[in-house]
Amino acid sequence: MGRYALQRLLGVIPLLFIVSVLVFLFIHLIPGDPARLIAGKDATLEEIHGIQEQLGLNLPLWNQYINYMSDLLSGNLGNSIRSGIPVTDMLESRIMPTLWLTFLSMAWALVIGLLIGVISAVYRNKWPDHLGTLTAISGMSIPGFWLGLVLIQIFSVELGWFPTGGVDSWKSYILPSITLGMGIMSMLARYSRSSMLETLQEDYIRTGRAKGLREYVVISRHALRNSLIQVVTVAGLQFGFLLGGSVMVETVFSIPGLGRLLVDSILFRDYTVIQALLLLFSTQFILINLIVDLLYGVLNPKIRFSQ
């Protein structure tokens, strides 16, 4: 297992390098001049050139990249063009609401989605299966922003059980996590049902039943574990999307997270913050895929022994 993990870890290093190059080029090749933005509309050409020199924007692109990587490796992401605050401080203040929202959304979506999928597969073409299918399709069909607004109207405005927005207490995360996790839950329910149905047709499942094993043991110890590989793949990818794709939910519920920071930074062309966020989102995608690869080896030892 250690060798398998080391191989996967080493494979991530060139990927991180390519991502850093692409993010750097993307930010520096898009139209717009940060120096002109900082200087303001009435700035003279000399003032703009002075700011470019101060920021190092007058240097060749390869030289800028080396300086950028040097600062990055030392933990310096630069200062915000808009506010002058260090980007690291901005990310620290915004990352926890997004992480809490993402973990809570994924936690309930994974448990409920897996439960619905397993029950639907075990009771195929019976009423639990039809109910699970209806729930999953409804969850995928409902637009997130509409669901969020409906939840606010019912549980915040009418009943007063939860706050309408902000992150003042744990109650503030309930409605946003339901909104964000609904689509993921539905997708996991469909994938786990499909994977379980496929596994239940395997010979070793029939052998287990023929040996007199209880149905609970066959489902939980043999069918479910071998069905989890597909579910882990989908859950890992969706977790990455949740971290970077919570913009809508954070906007509807006024949560000061990374998604809202990205939107605000794009509107103001705050290049240093955009660059840091893109790098952060890309890196977390790579790391999540690394974790998914390692889980493959845990769930199915044949995968790591074949490497």
Side-chain angles (χ1 to χ4, degrees):
M1 185 64 191
R3 183 180 177 185
Y4 175 76
L6 183 62
Q7 286 179 338
R8 287 291 176 269
L9 193 61
L10 292 176
V12 164
I13 295 175
L15 204 54
L16 288 174
F17 171 72
I18 293 172
V19 166
S20 71
V21 172
L22 291 177
V23 169
F24 177 82
L25 291 177
F26 174 75
I27 293 299
H28 283 73
L29 295 180
I30 59 176
D33 185 357
R36 183 176 291 278
L37 195 64
I38 296 173
K41 296 179 181 178
D42 300 327
T44 62
L45 199 57
E46 288 75 17
E47 290 173 332
I48 295 173
H49 286 164
I51 294 174
Q52 286 178 337
E53 188 173 356
Q54 181 183 354
L55 296 176
L57 298 176
N58 58 336
L59 298 173
L61 206 56
W62 64 268
N63 206 339
Q64 291 185 46
Y65 176 75
I66 292 176
N67 293 337
Y68 164 69
M69 286 303 297
S70 177
D71 291 339
L72 183 65
L73 293 176
S74 62
N76 180 16
L77 296 175
N79 295 332
S80 165
I81 293 175
R82 181 183 184 183
S83 62
I85 300 174
V87 176
T88 309
D89 294 344
M90 296 178 71
L91 295 183
E92 285 179 357
S93 65
R94 297 290 193 112
I95 196 169
M96 287 315 295
T98 299
L99 283 179
W100 274 114
L101 178 61
T102 303
F103 277 115
L104 288 174
S105 303
M106 180 53 75
W108 84 262
L110 189 60
V111 172
I112 302 298
L114 198 57
L115 189 63
I116 292 177
V118 171
I119 292 176
S120 298
V122 172
Y123 296 97
R124 185 182 184 185
N125 294 329
K126 297 181 180 177
W127 70 266
D129 184 20
H130 299 316
L131 182 61
T133 302
L134 179 64
T135 304
I137 292 177
S138 301
M140 284 189 284
S141 305
I142 297 175
F145 72 92
W146 182 83
L147 177 62
L149 294 175
V150 169
L151 291 177
I152 289 175
Q153 180 64 33
I154 296 175
F155 294 102
S156 300
V157 178
E158 300 292 339
L159 300 175
W161 291 355
F162 303 103
T164 55
V167 286
D168 297 329
S169 67
W170 61 270
K171 289 184 177 180
S172 304
Y173 290 98
I174 301 296
L175 298 183
S177 62
I178 292 175
T179 305
L180 188 61
M182 184 60 72
I184 310 300
M185 181 276 292
S186 307
M187 191 176 299
L188 290 175
R190 299 306 295 164
Y191 270 95
S192 56
R193 178 187 182 274
S194 172
S195 182
M196 276 292 291
L197 285 175
E198 187 176 335
T199 307
L200 288 173
Q201 305 300 319
E202 296 290 340
D203 292 338
Y204 61 87
I205 297 294
R206 284 194 288 269
T207 303
R209 285 171 172 161
K211 287 183 175 179
L213 292 177
R214 288 181 297 175
E215 188 66 15
Y216 169 77
V217 175
V218 173
I219 297 298
S220 60
R221 293 188 183 177
H222 300 284
L224 181 59
R225 177 166 181 165
N226 289 293
S227 303
L228 283 179
I229 291 182
Q230 290 186 28
V231 178
V232 166
T233 304
V234 176
L237 291 175
Q238 293 303 318
F239 190 82
F241 282 119
L242 285 182
L243 275 175
S246 58
V247 178
M248 180 274 298
V249 174
E250 290 181 2
T251 303
V252 171
F253 290 93
S254 301
I255 295 175
L258 294 178
R260 283 190 65 190
L261 178 62
L262 178 61
V263 173
D264 294 341
S265 303
I266 291 174
L267 291 176
F268 192 77
R269 294 187 179 179
D270 198 339
Y271 295 115
T272 51
V273 179
I274 297 172
Q275 186 171 259
L277 285 170
L278 288 179
L279 194 62
L280 177 65
F281 291 147
S282 305
T283 303
Q284 57 92 11
F285 249 109
I286 294 172
L287 294 180
I288 288 173
N289 276 284
L290 172 65
I291 294 172
V292 169
D293 275 350
L294 296 178
L295 284 176
Y296 285 165
V298 174
L299 293 171
N300 189 353
K302 290 181 180 177
I303 294 177
R304 66 172 187 261
F305 289 142
S306 64
Q307 301 299 311

